[in-house]
Amino acid sequence: MESREDDLRSSYLRILDEYLTAQTERSLYNASLLSKAFVEQGIGPEEIVALHSEAIEKAGKGLSALERARSVSASFQFLLEVMITYGVRYKEYLDLKLSDATRAIEMQLEIDRIRAEESIRTQEQVLRSKEEFLSFVAHELRNPLTVVMGSIDYMLRGVGAGDPERQRKLLERTRESTEQLLRLINDLLSISQMDFTGQTLNVQLVELDDLVHSAILEADAAAREKGIELAMHPPHRTEKVFGDRNWLLIMLGNLLSNAIKYTPEGGQVRIETANLGRRVKIDVIDTGMGVAPELLPHIFEKFYRVKGGPTPFVQGTGLGLPLVKRIAERHGGDVSVKSTQGEGSVFTVLLPLAE
Amino acid sequence: MSSIEGKTVLIADDHPGIADLVVMVLEDEGVTVETASDGYEALEKARSLHPDLMFLDIMMPGIDGWEVASQLLADDETADIPIVFLTARARTEEQLRGWEMPIFDYLTKPFVLEELLEKACSILSADRPEMHELREQTRKQKLRRLLGLDRQQ
């Protein structure tokens, strides 16, 4: 920067010298160009005047009084020209700075506006998904309620209600429907607890062996009812994980009951575990109907089944797998699925190993 | 009531408990009831049986009730089958969407069994010329109620 300023100074002296010698228009034009450079370089008018006085003093040395007076007068003409141009340039310069500043402010306002809009959009999205969730809950309540109310209505009407066959069927349906309502309420409660990060987990050291065996024990009755063989492989493990035993049991229980639900009678459901070093892998493997490929990417979404997924009617709440995912995530793990239609599915849970 | 004996009703609903109820209450009145548990079966049975009335669920696997209804209504062979939606989709905008079609009614779950039976009887016992009048009456009444409810909210 220093040298640029020095350059400008020496240019000024050179042009002034030219002017004093020949007093051409070209020198004045060059002086006005130089003014622009002074403005841009931040050299102020007082500096120019000082530079000018110094130059005149130097140039006047050795001249007669008359010559000196002529030289000073000519140099004032030059200085005036420089100062006028300087003023014009300085105004332009200020305008430019001002419009830059205005632009910066406008841009900031635009950014603020976009940010505000984005935040509103996010809030609307949250609201919409909450509303959608509630509407699905309402929908899921309506079907079992219809069966309960309809069955009671039918028996009260008395026309065909004397038929013990029908009575039994309606009572069974009513029973199933109330169980479905109970499941829905339990799952809703669980998933809202898991979604709510304020819900603390009762974390302790959990033995994998004990966890898996307990889950299998709980699912045993449902499996036996369908003649499904439940197994763990390898039969014993020594690894431990940190976690809330109850929630982990709910997670495995959901995966097992799902596997049993979608596996035909006489099929197989087994849990395979593996130590991956820092994590433990729990595979729940079934020989069921498998998951349609178009459904796979959505299988962990709440109420996807209800949203019109191409699944046939199966008793379920549409919240089981989303709950499994939330529990796994809350434990620093994850769940994924692989499936071949007609052959079966593998749900894989990864949990961090306790040292 | 005797005029509805021997008529055929098709109930399309993937929830077996609900289909069972409709079957029981209509069979008691001497009506033949057929069931379909998904959209494709609903279309197929509507075409082959040409029922005198069809109860149609909306959220079904395969193709949904909206699509089943519009396909049946677009086909001259099946356009005259009276359709009554029987659905858990109870929101006003959904009901209004239903009424955009020439349907005979839009019943929301949970429904009162007696009302469903009355609805079936009135449609099954109507003569062909009375059908149109019956449909328009219900439509006007339901739309008025739906829009009136909206104003109260």
Side-chain angles (χ1 to χ4, degrees):
Chain A
M1 280 302 126
E2 194 73 30
S3 65
R4 171 77 178 142
E5 277 192 43
D6 289 346
D7 276 359
L8 290 178
R9 277 178 227 276
S10 53
S11 294
Y12 187 86
L13 296 179
R14 186 170 45 75
I15 296 167
L16 176 62
D17 200 40
E18 271 172 27
Y19 183 75
L20 292 180
T21 316
Q23 295 179 9
T24 62
E25 285 298 313
R26 195 174 64 92
S27 300
L28 289 181
Y29 175 68
N30 284 338
S32 94
L33 285 185
L34 196 60
S35 297
K36 192 182 172 194
F38 280 138
V39 171
E40 280 162 4
Q41 200 60 36
I43 297 174
E46 66 287 346
E47 274 184 80
I48 298 172
V49 172
L51 182 66
H52 189 84
S53 315
E54 216 176 293
I56 289 303
E57 211 166 300
K58 242 183 247 167
K61 269 181 190 151
L63 292 180
S64 69
L66 185 66
E67 279 172 332
R68 198 182 303 153
R70 202 181 288 136
S71 159
V72 167
S73 155
S75 85
F76 279 154
Q77 186 62 40
F78 183 86
L79 183 61
L80 195 63
E81 194 65 36
V82 167
M83 281 306 176
I84 289 169
T85 321
Y86 188 93
V88 173
R89 297 294 185 200
Y90 193 63
K91 187 183 175 298
E92 281 171 5
Y93 172 79
L94 283 184
D95 286 349
L96 196 70
K97 285 275 172 217
L98 199 65
S99 71
D100 276 356
T102 313
R103 236 194 324 272
I105 290 170
E106 278 171 357
M107 204 182 286
Q108 189 56 49
L109 283 175
E110 180 66 8
I111 290 169
D112 289 351
R113 193 180 58 78
I114 290 169
R115 284 215 182 112
E117 272 177 9
E118 222 162 84
S119 135
I120 289 170
R121 220 174 359 252
T122 315
Q123 282 171 23
E124 276 174 352
Q125 245 160 25
V126 168
L127 218 63
R128 204 165 29 241
S129 72
K130 267 190 184 153
E131 197 187 318
E132 196 186 60
F133 182 74
L134 276 178
S135 132
F136 279 123
V137 171
H139 178 272
E140 284 301 271
L141 289 169
R142 282 172 194 278
N143 273 323
L145 271 176
T146 305
V147 176
V148 173
M149 285 174 62
S151 300
I152 293 167
D153 279 358
Y154 185 82
M155 291 207 252
L156 289 176
R157 276 185 81 236
V159 181
D163 180 357
E165 192 78 22
R166 289 194 162 184
Q167 280 178 4
R168 213 163 59 93
K169 193 170 185 182
L170 289 174
L171 283 173
E172 275 170 11
R173 295 287 198 211
T174 306
R175 170 84 213 196
E176 282 165 17
S177 296
T178 47
E179 280 168 6
Q180 166 75 358
L181 288 169
L182 184 64
R183 266 196 300 272
L184 186 65
I185 291 164
N186 284 337
D187 281 1
L188 277 171
L189 212 62
S190 300
I191 203 144
S192 68
Q193 276 177 301
M194 277 296 103
D195 275 345
F196 173 53
T197 44
Q199 168 79 27
T200 48
L201 299 176
N202 179 21
V203 177
Q204 52 193 321
L205 216 49
V206 180
E207 285 177 30
L208 191 61
D209 210 36
D210 165 61
L211 183 72
V212 174
H213 279 118
S214 300
I216 286 179
L217 206 63
E218 278 184 28
D220 194 50
R224 211 173 289 189
E225 211 172 284
K226 286 184 80 177
I228 290 171
E229 195 189 319
L230 273 183
M232 174 180 172
H233 182 82
H236 291 293
R237 292 225 76 104
T238 54
E239 287 85 352
K240 293 182 176 84
V241 292
F242 271 120
D244 187 319
R245 190 173 182 278
N246 286 335
W247 283 111
L248 290 175
L249 260 182
I250 290 174
M251 180 183 74
L252 287 185
N254 260 296
L255 287 176
L256 279 176
S257 73
N258 243 10
I260 293 165
K261 194 160 67 188
Y262 290 101
T263 298
E265 295 205 2
Q268 251 199 9
V269 172
R270 65 182 198 281
I271 294 189
E272 282 187 11
T273 53
N275 185 333
L276 302 183
R278 301 173 75 172
R279 302 215 271 186
V280 63
K281 185 170 80 132
I282 307 171
D283 282 337
V284 178
I285 305 162
D286 68 53
T287 55
M289 59 201 255
V291 185
E294 64 269 26
L295 199 110
L296 268 182
H298 305 285
I299 200 166
F300 295 107
E301 287 173 19
K302 287 172 195 163
F303 289 127
Y304 183 72
R305 188 179 61 80
V306 196
K307 287 178 191 168
T311 37
F313 178 84
V314 190
Q315 288 286 354
T317 62
L319 291 170
L321 287 176
L323 179 60
V324 166
K325 186 171 170 63
R326 289 299 291 132
I327 296 174
E329 284 171 354
R330 283 294 297 273
H331 283 83
D334 202 5
V335 61
S336 58
V337 60
K338 273 193 213 127
S339 188
T340 312
Q341 262 189 302
E343 285 180 25
S345 309
V346 181
F347 284 85
T348 301
V349 175
L350 291 172
L351 290 176
L353 258 180
E355 290 303 318
Chain B
M1 284 287 170
S2 63
S3 62
I4 70 165
E5 260 192 61
K7 300 268 184 173
T8 307
V9 170
L10 175 62
I11 160 84
D13 197 315
D14 62 329
H15 201 299
I18 290 165
D20 279 355
L21 273 170
V22 176
V23 169
M24 284 186 197
V25 77
L26 289 176
E27 276 184 359
D28 285 347
E29 305 299 325
V31 175
T32 308
V33 190
E34 295 284 338
T35 61
S37 59
D38 64 50
Y40 292 111
E41 198 184 357
L43 267 182
E44 185 192 309
K45 286 203 170 163
R47 285 174 183 145
S48 63
L49 298 167
H50 204 282
D52 301 296
L53 168 63
M54 180 173 185
F55 286 110
L56 182 57
D57 185 20
I58 290 173
M59 284 159 109
M60 284 186 295
I63 47 178
D64 65 20
W66 302 119
E67 182 60 26
V68 171
S70 49
Q71 285 199 29
L72 290 175
L73 290 165
D75 184 348
D76 283 344
E77 294 286 310
T78 49
D80 61 334
I81 299 172
I83 292 174
V84 171
F85 279 123
L86 190 62
T87 174
R89 301 190 79 147
R91 289 161 67 174
T92 305
E93 66 265 30
E94 290 164 342
Q95 299 199 38
L96 289 174
R97 180 178 172 190
W99 283 109
E100 283 171 12
M101 297 179 181
I103 54 167
F104 277 70
D105 212 340
Y106 190 110
L107 300 180
T108 57
K109 297 172 184 174
F111 50 85
V112 177
L113 209 53
E114 205 68 39
E115 280 176 16
L116 179 122
L117 180 62
E118 272 170 29
K119 180 51 62 181
C121 287
S122 69
I123 295 170
L124 291 175
S125 61
D127 299 336
R128 215 153 244 287
E130 291 170 352
M131 284 285 204
H132 181 75
E133 182 60 22
L134 183 67
R135 192 180 70 205
E136 285 313 304
Q137 241 177 1
T138 315
R139 173 198 295 274
K140 268 184 208 146
Q141 190 192 336
K142 284 290 178 90
L143 282 179
R144 213 176 297 137
R145 200 185 302 167
L146 276 174
L147 299 172
L149 271 177
D150 261 359
R151 216 176 300 132
Q152 277 174 9
Q153 276 169 357

